[in-house]
Amino acid sequence: YLEGNFDRLIRNNPTVDFHALWETHRGCPYSCTFCDWGSAVQAKVMQFDMERLKAEMIWFSDNQIELIYNCDANFGMLPRDEELIAWLIACKENTGFPQKLRAAYPKIHTERIIQQNIALNDSGLGKGVTLSLQSLDADVLTDIKRKNIAIGDFAGLSKRYAKADVPTYTELILGLPGETFGTFCDGINRIFDVDPDANLAIYPCIVLPNSEMADPAYRAEHGLKTTRMQQMLLHGTPTDYDIPEYYDVVTETNTMTNLEW
């Protein structure tokens, strides 16, 4: 952004609402098998230079970038993120841009992260806070090497954010290793038992290259069968000249038949 690579594109298309990808750190301390963020080479979190990040925020603001899609695995996890959020809010107050920030938040919501999300929401930048679960079955979580917040903590966070008028959404993944039709439905019921107003997003399980789930031995162990599908694009407008991309979606496992899926 700061080297001017996009300046002419923006200048020559004044009627287009542009979105930008923005990364403040790289890597993830977690090792979920469906994800490549926490693979061995990226387990350590590398922080990008603060002055560069602040300059990028000013660039987004001056160029009227509508939506910032943050690419961090755990935005808000680092103490310095509080300063970044304050800068972003100041930029919006100055020019009205960016209008929204979309980010993936840590599994554990500390008081600092809660206050950051409230500040983003109050400024109009917030686009909902993720309370990710992926699955509520203990055996599935073991198979995918993930440890969730307890359902009681989930209920408390839902109430806390609702009281502050911060919208939240909860993610589940359909087709994870070890998940059955029954455990998946039970997970949905447990979410709505503690939060009848929960905003639930259900994603298909995608086998990503370089993730542990893509390893042939892992696939064989859990009987993962995939179907190649054209990728759904969000936050964008389809055009006649789009180049289609594809992904491999898990549509059957040892514990869930294709019909049950």
Side-chain angles (χ1 to χ4, degrees), residues 13-256:
N13 296 275
T15 62
V16 174
D17 293 326
F18 283 98
H19 300 171
L21 305 177
W22 186 48
E23 192 175 32
T24 74
H25 67 255
R26 185 169 298 178
C28 179
Y30 306 114
S31 55
C32 305
T33 64
F34 57 81
C35 185
D36 187 36
W37 249 326
S39 60
V41 294
Q42 296 291 354
K44 290 185 177 180
V45 176
M46 181 183 71
Q47 303 178 38
F48 296 162
D49 180 70
M50 281 289 284
E51 294 308 310
R52 172 190 133 184
L53 295 174
K54 290 178 180 179
E56 287 175 343
M57 281 188 276
I58 294 172
W59 188 92
F60 297 146
S61 186
D62 289 344
N63 284 281
Q64 299 187 350
I65 303 299
E66 180 189 48
L67 171 73
I68 303 300
Y69 202 107
N70 178 261
C71 300
D72 302 342
N74 299 281
F75 183 71
M77 175 181 69
L78 304 173
R80 71 170 194 168
D81 290 342
E82 190 170 1
E83 183 179 354
L84 288 176
I85 289 171
W87 260 83
L88 201 58
I89 291 172
C91 286
K92 180 174 183 178
E93 290 175 347
N94 186 40
T95 68
F97 292 91
Q99 295 178 357
K100 292 289 181 180
L101 172 74
R102 170 73 174 85
Y105 296 97
K107 291 183 292 185
I108 306 300
H109 285 238
T110 63
E111 182 63 28
R112 176 171 52 79
I113 292 174
I114 293 172
Q115 292 303 323
Q116 289 172 3
N117 285 322
I118 291 174
L120 282 170
N121 187 72
D122 290 347
S123 71
L125 275 163
K127 199 168 171 59
V129 176
T130 322
L131 299 177
S132 296
L133 294 171
Q134 316 310 358
S135 175
L136 277 79
D137 184 78
D139 291 335
V140 176
L141 296 175
T142 298
D143 286 340
I144 63 174
K145 298 182 180 179
R146 182 180 177 89
K147 186 174 181 180
N148 276 344
I149 58 174
I151 193 68
D153 294 334
F154 167 81
L157 284 170
S158 297
K159 293 177 181 177
R160 179 82 182 275
Y161 280 124
K163 186 176 181 180
D165 293 323
V166 177
T168 62
Y169 62 96
T170 304
E171 297 173 335
L172 292 179
I173 297 178
L174 175 63
L176 288 172
E179 194 84 77
T180 68
F181 181 86
T183 60
F184 189 75
C185 293
D186 180 64
I188 294 175
N189 288 333
R190 290 172 65 190
I191 289 171
F192 286 117
D193 280 343
V194 300
D195 184 4
D197 298 318
N199 180 7
L200 180 60
I202 297 178
Y203 296 99
C205 181
I206 301 166
V207 176
L208 299 175
N210 300 318
S211 67
E212 184 176 349
M213 190 171 287
D215 182 84
Y218 187 95
R219 293 186 61 157
E221 178 186 357
H222 298 285
L224 304 185
K225 295 183 180 180
T226 58
T227 302
R228 197 159 185 79
M229 301 182 185
Q230 185 168 335
Q231 186 174 355
M232 280 196 311
L233 298 178
L234 304 176
H235 298 293
T237 304
T239 65
D240 292 335
Y241 52 83
D242 279 350
I243 298 174
E245 297 184 53
Y246 297 86
Y247 47 29
D248 296 311
V249 175
V250 175
T251 53
E252 184 177 343
T253 71
N254 282 342
T255 54
M256 184 179 289

